[in-house]
Amino acid sequence: MEQTARTPEGYDYRQYDRIWQRVAPALEPYPAGLNGGGTPVQTGTDLSSAQLRQESQLPGAERNPCCMGSAAMDMLSVLTGFAEEELAECRFGRLLSRQAPAWARQRLQEMAARQGESARRLMAVYYLVTGECYRPNIPCDRNCVGRWCPALRERYHARACSGLNYARAAEGTTDPCLRKLLNELSETAYCQADTLLRLLERSLDR
């Protein structure tokens, strides 16, 4: 005998309908086979089909999600450029730390590690947007940093410009999650520029 799922007596679904319309208007407010009118419960393949239809409407399954979607797609070339720049800075920073005075080595190593993290974040964003892994091609043709103070000066300007470019890119995207990330990277780059300035100040005092 076919059973039906009945609404408990006195249970007013209308107030929940109104709340649901504000929270998630695109989704079915009741599980498959149950609504305020007490329609029959679906079984077998009908239930599975209904569940699949509902799951396909979840935010994670959207073809153009609110974050890291088509708006971020327009920034892919910018993101890959930033990733390659961070990787290049990371490698140069490690090289600089090996040739730096003993008192500056740890700070430079920490900075290089942070730049590597920034590059990985950018490549993770690339995967979120495209579903593909980005394989950067960074040449390893630099094995000498030159004199210490000029090298710090060069790195300072590079990091300060990175901070500015991240901020400009954040202003140029309508993707809220990407904008937040780019602003964070901008702040990180500016902080690294400040660290390099302090290292330079100490070096010039000697």
Side-chain angles (χ1 to χ4, degrees):
M1 179 178 180
E2 184 179 12
Q3 296 182 347
T4 60
R6 299 184 180 278
T7 304
E9 185 175 357
Y11 206 76
D12 186 2
Y13 279 91
R14 289 174 297 179
Q15 59 178 320
Y16 299 102
D17 290 340
R18 290 191 292 269
I19 296 173
W20 190 273
Q21 285 299 312
R22 293 197 301 270
V23 175
L27 297 181
E28 173 63 38
Y30 306 105
L34 177 62
N35 58 29
T39 55
V41 173
Q42 294 174 298
T43 59
T45 57
D46 291 340
L47 178 58
S48 299
S49 298
Q51 289 175 334
L52 288 174
R53 285 195 299 272
Q54 288 183 341
E55 290 173 0
S56 67
Q57 298 177 35
L58 294 176
E62 291 180 5
R63 298 187 63 180
N64 185 23
C66 61
C67 278
M68 306 307 179
S70 60
M73 184 74 72
D74 296 337
M75 300 284 289
L76 283 182
S77 61
V78 175
L79 297 177
T80 55
F82 282 143
E84 292 180 359
E85 179 183 349
E86 292 290 351
L87 288 173
E89 288 288 319
C90 176
R91 291 184 178 183
F92 185 68
R94 288 173 179 169
L95 180 61
L96 182 62
S97 70
R98 291 195 291 268
Q99 301 182 26
W103 54 267
R105 289 173 187 168
Q106 184 175 354
R107 299 295 295 274
L108 291 171
Q109 290 169 356
E110 292 173 351
M111 187 183 305
R114 190 67 182 273
Q115 290 160 352
E117 292 173 1
S118 295
R120 287 190 292 274
R121 292 185 73 186
L122 289 162
M123 289 187 286
V125 169
Y126 185 93
Y127 185 85
L128 286 174
V129 176
T130 66
E132 299 176 355
C133 294
Y134 177 68
R135 306 295 183 189
N137 183 19
I138 306 299
C140 302
D141 56 355
R142 192 167 188 177
N143 54 19
C144 180
V145 298
R147 293 185 299 156
W148 171 242
C149 287
L152 288 178
R153 178 175 181 266
E154 177 185 350
R155 291 303 91 206
Y156 169 84
H157 286 299
R159 287 286 80 192
C161 287
S162 291
L164 177 60
N165 289 333
Y166 278 129
R168 286 174 172 172
E171 293 175 356
T173 181
T174 57
D175 187 300
C177 299
L178 182 57
R179 184 188 304 115
K180 179 176 180 293
L181 172 62
L182 291 171
N183 281 324
E184 290 174 358
L185 294 176
S186 174
E187 183 178 353
T188 297
Y190 277 128
C191 287
Q192 291 170 353
D194 288 341
T195 297
L196 290 164
L197 176 58
R198 290 192 294 272
L199 294 178
L200 182 59
E201 290 171 354
R202 181 172 178 180
S203 298
L204 292 175
D205 286 340
R206 291 178 174 268

